[in-house]
Amino acid sequence: MNKKKYLITIFLSGFLGYFGGIIGYTLIGGDNKIIYQLSGLVMASIIGFIYYLYSKKKYSKELKEIQVEQKDERGQIIAGKSSMYTLILTVILSISIFIISILIGYELIAILIGVLYIVILTFYLLIHSYLEKAY
Amino acid sequence: MGGKFLKNKLEQIRKEKGLSQEALASKLDVSRQTISSLENGRYNPSLLLAFKIAKYFDKKIETIFIYEEEEQDE
């Protein structure tokens, strides 16, 4: 099994766990929407974790490849730049939605986007300040 | 990634030792893609990785990685 197939099987195990959880909760007669979603998430985590423990021995080579790629310096630079560009695009998108919301009269959405933007900016400044001292 | 890239003789030295990219990557604890990017000049290694490579091949860093000053227009 190659690394891509391994990652797909991990994803599928979580996916099946999610559906198993929500179906199980429905079968026992549950009707709370929050517990309905939580049961799916909990079961997805449990099944995913069990599959990970099982695969640790069986697919140790693929796991090692993934661990090496996570520590790999070039991979970390790519991940950092991807995060940065994603943040920039998210901010541009949120500003666009903010402007459009005001223009079409959906002030609540504009306010929520504005608050979200302030939270993102605050996180960015705090993290930046911390990293400036750390490095 | 971005900016000026060092030239290097990594591919030549690797082949002299009879190593594949994957084997060298495994020895240096990096991905095969990193070795490929280094050899193609698409990526500059960190100082730590450059030292690791030099130590592995028992050569000086300057033997493997070549820094050329940019010519300035007068």
Side-chain angles (χ1 to χ4, degrees):
Chain A
M1 177 187 285
N2 66 29
K3 192 189 71 164
K4 267 189 190 165
K5 281 186 187 168
Y6 171 73
L7 289 172
I8 290 169
T9 55
I10 278 272
F11 172 77
L12 279 176
S13 66
F15 196 68
L16 289 171
Y18 175 79
F19 279 108
I22 60 175
I23 290 169
Y25 180 69
T26 309
L27 286 174
I28 62 168
D31 60 358
N32 183 305
K33 285 179 187 171
I34 294 170
I35 297 176
Y36 177 81
Q37 293 297 337
L38 274 175
S39 61
L41 289 172
V42 166
M43 197 49 75
S45 304
I46 291 170
I47 300 294
F49 184 66
I50 290 171
Y51 183 76
Y52 167 72
L53 289 176
Y54 159 77
S55 63
K56 252 177 109 163
K57 275 195 174 174
K58 197 159 190 243
Y59 304 116
S60 56
K61 185 181 163 241
E62 288 79 4
L63 272 172
K64 177 115 196 326
E65 267 183 50
I66 293 167
Q67 281 167 3
V68 166
E69 282 186 17
Q70 282 172 345
K71 285 191 307 179
D72 182 60
E73 60 175 51
R74 177 180 157 273
Q76 287 180 353
I77 291 170
I78 291 170
K81 290 195 174 205
S82 299
S83 301
M84 181 186 75
Y85 289 125
T86 301
L87 175 64
I88 291 169
L89 288 172
T90 303
V91 167
I92 291 171
L93 181 64
S94 62
I95 290 173
S96 306
I97 294 172
F98 177 82
I99 292 168
I100 291 168
S101 302
I102 289 177
L103 289 173
I104 61 176
Y106 285 126
E107 285 95 7
L108 180 61
I109 294 175
I111 291 167
L112 287 172
I113 295 286
V115 169
L116 180 66
Y117 181 72
I118 290 167
V119 168
I120 290 172
L121 193 59
T122 306
F123 279 151
Y124 175 80
L125 291 171
L126 286 171
I127 292 167
H128 192 272
S129 173
Y130 169 77
L131 291 175
E132 268 196 327
K133 289 175 184 146
Y135 293 101
Chain B
M1 299 182 72
K4 187 171 169 59
F5 293 104
L6 295 170
K7 291 185 182 173
N8 66 75
K9 296 180 182 174
L10 184 59
E11 185 176 1
Q12 175 194 327
I13 294 169
R14 173 180 63 80
K15 285 179 177 174
E16 280 172 7
K17 288 269 182 181
L19 287 169
S20 64
Q21 286 183 341
E22 197 152 340
L24 179 59
S26 176
K27 297 286 182 194
L28 298 171
D29 215 19
V30 296
S31 66
R32 189 201 61 79
Q33 290 85 347
T34 297
I35 299 297
S36 174
S37 291
L38 281 170
E39 291 180 356
N40 290 328
R42 288 200 310 267
Y43 172 65
N44 286 337
S46 67
L47 191 56
L48 182 62
L49 180 57
F51 267 111
K52 276 169 108 175
I53 292 170
K55 189 177 176 195
Y56 178 77
F57 289 115
D58 196 26
K59 292 183 187 294
K60 290 189 176 178
I61 288 183
E62 298 90 336
T63 309
I64 305 173
F65 298 100
I66 301 141
Y67 177 71
E68 290 175 350
E69 294 280 349
E70 278 178 359
E71 288 177 6
Q72 296 199 352
D73 295 327
E74 291 182 10

